[in-house]
Amino acid sequence: MGILNLTPDSFSDGGRYASPRIAIDRAKRLVDEGADILDIGGESTRPGATPVSADEELRRIMPVLESLSAIIAVPVSVDTYKPKVMRAAIDAGASMINDVNALEAEGATEAVAKSDVAVCLMHKCGTPQTMQIDPQYDDVVAEVKTYLKHRIEVVASAGIASERIVIDPGFGFAKNTAHNLALLKHLDELKSLGVAVLAGLSRKSVLGKITQRKVHDRLYPSLAAALIAVAKGANIVRVHDVGATRDALDVYNSVEDA
Ligand code: HH2
C-alpha cells in the first residue's frame, strides 16, 4: 500500500503533494514502482496534529480521488475517520476506507456497511493531541487484540463480511517504543482473528528511536520493519517508499516460494 498524503502537515511528506496535478503524478509513480493499493489521506493523524473539517478534507482529496479512479488500475483506499468523507469517497470510486478510529464515529459503520468496499480497522487510544502522553497497557498485545476482536464483531454484525475487513495494531498511535516493538514481535497473534492484517511502520518514530535517524533517513529501518511485518503475517504493508519495499518483498517472496 503506497501512501499519498494530500496534507500540508503530515510527519514525513506534508505539503509535498498539495496540488492535484503533483499528487496524481506521484500516484502514477507509486503504481509504476509496484504499489498494489494507494492510500490517500486529507488529514494528518501524527501526534499533535490539528483536526480539519470534513469539508476541508473533501476539498483536499476529491479532485485527486476522482481523477485516480478513472486512470489508476489499482484500488484506492481513503484514510479517514469521518462518515461524510467516507460516503463521498465511496461514491467517487474508493475501494477501501482506512479508518484510524476503527469505524467508531457515529454513522461510520453504516456508511461502509451500505457499500461493498473494504475497511481497515486500526487500534489507537485517544486523539492525535493526547495519544502519546504516557500510553499505558498491562499487556499491549492482548489489549490491542481484544479491541480489534471486538471491533470485528461490531462491524460484522452490521453486515460487513470478514473478507472486507482488515485490522491494524496502529503502530505509533498511543504506543511507546516498547509497545510498538512488542506488537511487531507478536503481530502473528492477530492472525487468529481470521481477517487480513495491515502494518504501518514506514518512517515512524519508533524506527528513529532505534536507529537515531531523522524522518527522511529511515528508508533502511522501514524496509527492515516491512520485512519483519510480512514475516509475521502482515498481508498489507503501508509504506512511503514503494519501489524499495517492492524490491525487498520480491526477495522475501522468492525465498518463500523456492
Ligand atoms: N499511520 C498513519 C496514518 N494512517 N493508517 C493505518 N491503517 N495504519 C497506520 O499505521 C497509519 C494510518 C500515519 O502516517 P502518515 O500517513 O505517513 O502520516 P500523517 O498521519 O502525519 O499524515
Side-chain angles (χ1 to χ4, degrees):
M1 172 185 268
I3 302 170
L4 182 56
N5 283 318
L6 310 175
T7 53
D9 57 343
S10 285
F11 79 96
S12 83
D13 55 358
R16 289 191 63 183
Y17 312 114
S19 99
R21 192 184 50 78
I22 296 173
I24 289 161
D25 285 350
R26 172 71 180 164
K28 287 186 194 155
R29 178 147 176 223
L30 293 175
V31 175
D32 287 347
E33 289 182 0
D36 295 318
I37 309 170
L38 290 183
D39 187 42
I40 70 172
E43 175 177 335
S44 173
T45 45
R46 72 182 157 75
T50 315
V52 299
S53 68
D55 289 340
E56 174 59 17
E57 206 178 319
L58 286 169
R59 192 191 64 72
R60 293 177 184 176
I61 67 167
M62 288 310 274
V64 177
L65 178 60
E66 281 162 357
S67 304
L68 288 184
S69 304
I71 58 171
I72 294 278
V74 304
V76 180
S77 156
V78 172
D79 188 343
T80 188
Y81 58 87
K82 300 188 188 87
K84 181 174 178 179
V85 178
M86 291 175 188
R87 286 191 293 271
I90 292 167
D91 287 348
S95 300
M96 178 172 186
I97 297 297
N98 172 24
D99 186 357
V100 299
N101 229 2
L103 297 184
E104 289 217 48
E106 197 182 332
T109 303
E110 295 71 18
V112 172
K114 261 197 227 150
S115 73
D116 59 0
V117 306
V119 63
C120 179
L121 307 171
M122 198 197 79
H123 172 275
K124 75 165 170 46
C125 299
T127 65
Q129 286 77 42
T130 60
M131 66 189 181
Q132 287 306 108
I133 305 169
D134 195 21
Q136 300 279 347
Y137 302 88
D138 289 330
D139 179 341
V140 68
V141 177
E143 287 170 49
V144 167
K145 185 174 175 183
T146 301
Y147 171 83
L148 292 172
K149 181 170 185 284
H150 173 67
R151 293 307 300 160
I152 293 170
E153 285 162 5
V154 170
V155 307
S157 68
I160 302 175
S162 59
E163 306 80 67
R164 292 168 58 193
I165 302 174
V166 179
I167 52 171
D168 178 347
F171 292 102
F173 288 82
K175 281 106 193 171
N176 63 25
T177 301
H179 299 144
N180 286 310
L181 293 178
L183 285 165
L184 182 55
K185 183 170 183 179
H186 298 287
L187 194 67
D188 50 348
E189 293 195 21
L190 297 182
K191 299 299 286 178
S192 64
L193 298 180
V195 299
V197 174
L198 183 152
L201 285 141
S202 183
R203 301 183 188 172
K204 283 195 174 162
S205 65
V206 56
L207 305 178
K209 294 255 166 60
I210 298 168
T211 61
Q212 312 306 318
R213 301 278 179 203
K214 297 252 184 291
V215 68
H216 286 293
D217 212 4
R218 294 182 190 157
L219 172 60
Y220 303 144
S222 297
L223 293 175
L227 285 179
I228 296 166
V230 171
K232 301 269 182 190
N235 305 91
I236 303 172
V237 281
R238 183 179 180 276
V239 302
H240 301 88
D241 301 288
V242 168
T245 310
R246 171 54 74 193
D247 282 354
L249 291 178
D250 283 349
V251 174
Y252 177 86
N253 289 330
S254 300
V255 174
E256 286 296 291
D257 294 345

